């Protein structure tokens, strides 16, 4: 078990990484770590995550009361605490606004297609939590609907959230999510996104099981209505008809041609 000093240093390190990677601008984003059953260390509100010092972090009870710190905790502390209460396996939460992920969240397109092995194995699928005003109970409720089943989620018209057993694991999920979003975006602009399917997909689920990550279905939890993501999905390369349907179309066309030829 790490000491509180080490937990503080870890948060400062991850703050630098999210800022230097461009996953946040200005004072955006927040990070927290559950340091014991009833204590959480969180970033302070309104400070750049790239330049924090360990003394600026705020300690709060899992029930929300401030325990220690001369600054106020993140305005999003309520959703961090809700995640810890819903997911005892989670010991760290990272919230950021990585540009490509956030663009998907703005476009209403979940990252729920099996496209890259790393993303399927480490993240499962990445749904979108419905929009909630930052810093309010609306956002807490939107997140709580999804977080029991996912470690990485998009926040509609806002950003992204990732969780893990420590703050490095949570941060790496944010990195993987942004990388996955970036590649998906480029492939989509190239005009073709081939999916990992059938036996190959089953093998990735098997890896998830072997790594103790569960076998999460790809994706039955997206809250964004299908019609709002119909357009981007048109570019995804999937069979439009089954073999039987194609045979039926060929038979019907053949009949019409023969009818025309026979007058
Ligand atoms: P805080 O500075 O209060 O953590 O807020 C930043 C943010 O990104 C809100 O969503």
């Amino acid at each position: 078990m790490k000491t509180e000093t080490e937990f503080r240093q870890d948060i400062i390190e991850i703050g630098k990484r999210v800022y230097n990677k461009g996953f946040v601008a200005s004072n955006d984003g927040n990070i927290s770590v559950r340091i014991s059953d009833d204590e959480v260390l969180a970033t302070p509100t309104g400070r750049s995550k790239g330049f924090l010092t360990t003394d600026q972090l705020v300690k709060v009870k899992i029930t929300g009361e401030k325990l220690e710190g001369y600054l106020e905790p993140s305005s999003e502390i309520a959703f961090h605490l809700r995640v810890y209460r819903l997911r005892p396996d989670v010991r760290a939460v990272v919230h950021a606004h990585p540009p490509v992920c956030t663009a998907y969240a703005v476009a209403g397109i979940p990252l729920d297609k099996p496209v890259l092995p790393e993303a399927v194995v480490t993240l499962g699928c990445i749904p979108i939590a419905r929009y909630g005003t930052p810093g309010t109970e609306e956002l807490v409720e939107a997140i709580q609907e999804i977080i029991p089943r996912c470690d990485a989620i998009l926040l509609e018209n806002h950003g992204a959230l990732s969780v893990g057993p420590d703050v490095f694991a949570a941060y790496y999920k944010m990195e993987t999510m942004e990388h996955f979003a970036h590649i998906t975006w480029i492939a989509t602009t190239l005009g073709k996104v081939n999916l990992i399917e059938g036996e190959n997909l089953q093998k990735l689920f098997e890896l998830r099981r072997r790594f103790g990550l569960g076998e999460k279905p790809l994706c039955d939890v997206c809250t964004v209505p299908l019609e709002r993501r119909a357009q981007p999905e048109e570019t995804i390369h999937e069979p439009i008809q089954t073999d039987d349907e194609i045979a039926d179309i060929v038979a019907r066309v053949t009949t019409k041609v023969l009818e025309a030829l026979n007058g």
Side-chain angles (χ1 to χ4, degrees):
M1 181 76 169
K2 289 192 175 191
T3 63
E4 186 177 321
T5 306
E6 289 169 325
F7 282 129
R8 285 178 183 265
Q9 287 162 349
D10 288 351
I11 294 177
I12 301 308
E13 170 63 22
I14 296 307
K16 288 193 173 77
R17 291 191 195 189
V18 291
Y19 185 76
N20 292 337
K21 277 275 200 181
F23 290 177
V24 290
S26 179
N27 297 334
D28 298 346
N30 27 73
I31 304 160
S32 71
V33 170
R34 187 174 190 172
I35 61 172
S36 70
D37 281 352
D38 45 36
E39 291 174 325
V40 170
L41 266 181
T43 49
T45 187
R47 300 285 172 130
S48 171
K49 285 21 177 223
F51 304 95
L52 290 175
T53 50
T54 49
D55 60 314
Q56 292 177 322
L57 301 180
V58 186
K59 199 194 288 184
V60 296
K61 269 182 103 156
I62 195 80
T63 43
E65 299 87 348
K66 184 170 151 185
L67 292 172
E68 206 180 304
Y70 59 87
L71 297 172
E72 291 307 308
S74 167
S75 56
E76 304 290 20
I77 190 68
F79 79 60
H80 289 244
L81 298 179
R82 188 69 59 89
V83 170
Y84 294 125
R85 292 213 290 274
L86 290 168
R87 292 274 308 266
D89 59 310
V90 167
R91 307 303 287 193
V93 175
V94 174
H95 164 53
H97 306 162
V100 186
C101 278
T102 305
Y104 274 85
V106 168
I109 306 170
L111 294 162
D112 61 351
K113 296 287 180 289
V115 171
L116 294 173
E118 294 76 13
V120 174
V121 172
T122 60
L123 304 176
C125 75
I126 306 167
I128 305 179
R130 68 186 152 77
Y131 183 77
T133 306
T136 70
E137 186 62 19
E138 276 173 357
L139 185 58
V140 180
E141 282 170 16
I143 289 167
Q144 83 169 14
E145 287 169 8
I146 291 184
I147 204 68
R149 285 172 287 183
C150 298
D151 289 352
I153 62 182
L154 301 176
L155 309 180
E156 190 175 13
N157 286 79
H158 183 166
L161 175 70
S162 58
V163 302
D166 61 63
V167 74
F168 287 90
Y171 166 76
Y172 283 133
K173 283 178 193 162
M174 186 67 73
E175 256 195 12
T176 300
M177 176 162 44
E178 178 66 354
H179 198 231
F180 174 35
H182 202 161
I183 291 167
T184 303
W185 171 42
I186 294 171
T188 303
T189 63
L190 291 173
K192 202 168 178 192
V193 181
N194 291 321
L195 305 182
I196 303 170
E197 292 175 309
E199 198 187 327
N200 287 332
L201 187 56
Q202 293 311 315
K203 286 183 194 165
L204 296 179
F205 288 152
E206 180 51 37
L207 283 180
R208 283 185 65 84
R209 266 197 299 276
R210 217 184 302 155
F211 297 151
L213 299 167
E215 188 197 354
K216 291 179 193 148
L218 293 159
C219 165
D220 62 349
V221 291
C222 293
T223 54
V224 174
L226 272 176
E227 63 273 14
R228 285 175 51 193
R229 46 193 173 104
Q231 193 191 339
E233 282 197 344
E234 279 163 14
T235 58
I236 291 191
H237 176 70
E238 284 175 311
I240 299 162
Q241 268 104 15
T242 63
D243 287 352
D244 284 351
E245 285 166 337
I246 292 168
D248 182 52
I249 291 167
V250 170
R252 278 189 283 134
V253 170
T254 307
T255 307
K256 288 268 177 226
V257 171
L258 289 174
E259 280 170 5
L261 285 174
N262 295 331

